[in-house]
């Protein structure tokens, strides 16, 4: 870990040691906005940020095998990773002065929030191997939004270390039975959708979440024009993509926090937008014509689900979705 100074803000917790030849990893950005506690004075400017990331849970899931037109490669196995980022931010208050340059005490505020990600594993993985996930913070950006709230963007790298020398397995295989996966998909996109579900205030408090079921439905699709090219990362754009709106119907079963510990069921919905790269033509038929005559079908699949209770009224849910596009 090291300190990085940027625009008068000192960032602590960034891993500066380069990772070389790491085969199983993914990089993602975690956004967070939090407002300081009511009793805290207003923010003049941020002085320093301390960040720490940790893994809290992981799950090995079965997925499809194939490489999408966009270049996303799936081997049949992913590890879903859940973690937490703890932030402590020191700032100068502006409660007692009119100038941002005045010398006033430094206050601190803290926040903790969850992140989810997934790492693609090798196709020939030994399921008796030990899979150990880890996380490294690559960059931090914190900005004052107003006198009370701070925006944070943290770039992290998730790494899955595989050891075949052990007969233990520290992540369970999750085979979602809600849908049968497509065989050898060609036009598809795997994407993680995460949300915080807030129960109605009138409902009984949550003591323990028993189960969460999710049913995805396609609510809208739209064909759009995109750029054509290949990025240095390997992402391929064909000039066309389907913008797919997926409606997630969710059923939450939990034990109520009351003497009889009644089992409660809560239903809710969420939606997400997923883009799937499609070709400009199939079998000498251009994609616009195929779209207009209804020869493009889109099917969503749930590959994995992770959830945890945040407080008595809030559940954090993350769903691994696969959207498959077929041209008939």
């Amino acid at each position: 870990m090291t300190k990085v100074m940027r625009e008068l803000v000192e960032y602590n917790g960034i891993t500066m040691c380069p990772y070389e030849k790491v085969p199983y990893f993914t990089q993602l950005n975690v956004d967070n906005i939090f407002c300081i506690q009511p009793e805290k004075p207003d923010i003049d400017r941020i002085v320093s940020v301390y960040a720490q990331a940790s893994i809290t849970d992981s799950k090995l899931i079965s997925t499809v095998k194939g490489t999408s037109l966009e270049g996303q490669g799936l081997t049949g196995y992913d590890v879903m990773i859940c973690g937490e980022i703890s932030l402590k931010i020191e700032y100068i208050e502006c409660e007692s002065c009119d100038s941002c340059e005045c010398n006033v005490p430094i206050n601190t505020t803290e926040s903790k929030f969850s992140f989810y990600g997934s790492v693609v594993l090798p196709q020939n993985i030994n399921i008796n191997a030990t899979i150990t996930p880890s996380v490294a913070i690559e960059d931090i950006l914190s900005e004052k939004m107003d006198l009370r709230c701070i925006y944070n963007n943290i770039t992290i790298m998730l790494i899955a270390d595989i050891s075949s020398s052990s007969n233990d397995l520290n992540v369970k295989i999750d085979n979602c039975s809600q849908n049968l996966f497509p065989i050898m998909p060609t036009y598809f996109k795997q994407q993680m959708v995460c949300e915080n579900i807030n129960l109605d205030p009138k409902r009984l408090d949550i003591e323990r979440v028993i189960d969460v079921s999710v049913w995805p439905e396609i609510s809208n699709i739209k064909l759009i024009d995109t750029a054509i090219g290949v990025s240095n990362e390997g992402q391929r754009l064909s000039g066309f993509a389907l913008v797919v709106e997926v409606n997630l119907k969710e059923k939450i079963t939990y034990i109520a926090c009351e003497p009889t510990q009644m089992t409660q069921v809560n239903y809710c919905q969420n939606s997400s937008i997923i883009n799937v790269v499609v070709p400009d033509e199939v079998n000498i038929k251009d994609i616009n014509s195929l779209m207009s005559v209804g020869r493009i079908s889109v099917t969503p699949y749930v590959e994995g689900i992770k959830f945890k209770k945040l407080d008595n009224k809030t559940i954090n849910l993350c769903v691994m979705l696969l959207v498959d596009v077929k041209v008939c």
Side-chain angles (χ1 to χ4, degrees), residues 247-267:
N247 184 39
L248 301 176
K249 295 183 177 181
E250 301 153 347
K251 175 185 175 184
I252 301 167
T253 306
Y254 68 94
I255 300 295
C257 187
E258 47 87 44
T260 61
Q261 293 191 318
M262 295 174 55
T263 299
Q264 299 286 298
V265 177
N266 184 79
Y267 294 92

Side-chain angles (χ1 to χ4, degrees), residues 1-14 32 34 43 45-52 85-92 106-111 113 137 139-144 150-154:
M1 304 294 181
T2 189
K3 297 179 182 179
V4 175
M5 199 74 181
R6 188 187 303 122
E7 295 181 356
L8 301 180
V9 179
E10 181 185 274
Y11 293 99
N12 300 266
I14 297 175
N32 168 263
F34 76 91
I43 303 168
R45 68 178 178 87
I46 298 172
V47 176
S48 57
V49 178
Y50 297 84
Q52 185 174 8
I85 295 177
S86 299
L87 286 180
K88 183 175 79 170
I89 296 179
E90 296 179 343
Y91 68 94
I92 295 177
I106 292 179
N107 282 270
T108 62
T109 183
E110 297 184 12
S111 176
F113 51 93
I137 296 178
D139 189 57
I140 310 168
L141 173 66
S142 296
E143 294 181 341
K144 183 182 82 170
I150 300 171
Y151 167 77
N152 303 282
N153 182 279
I154 301 180

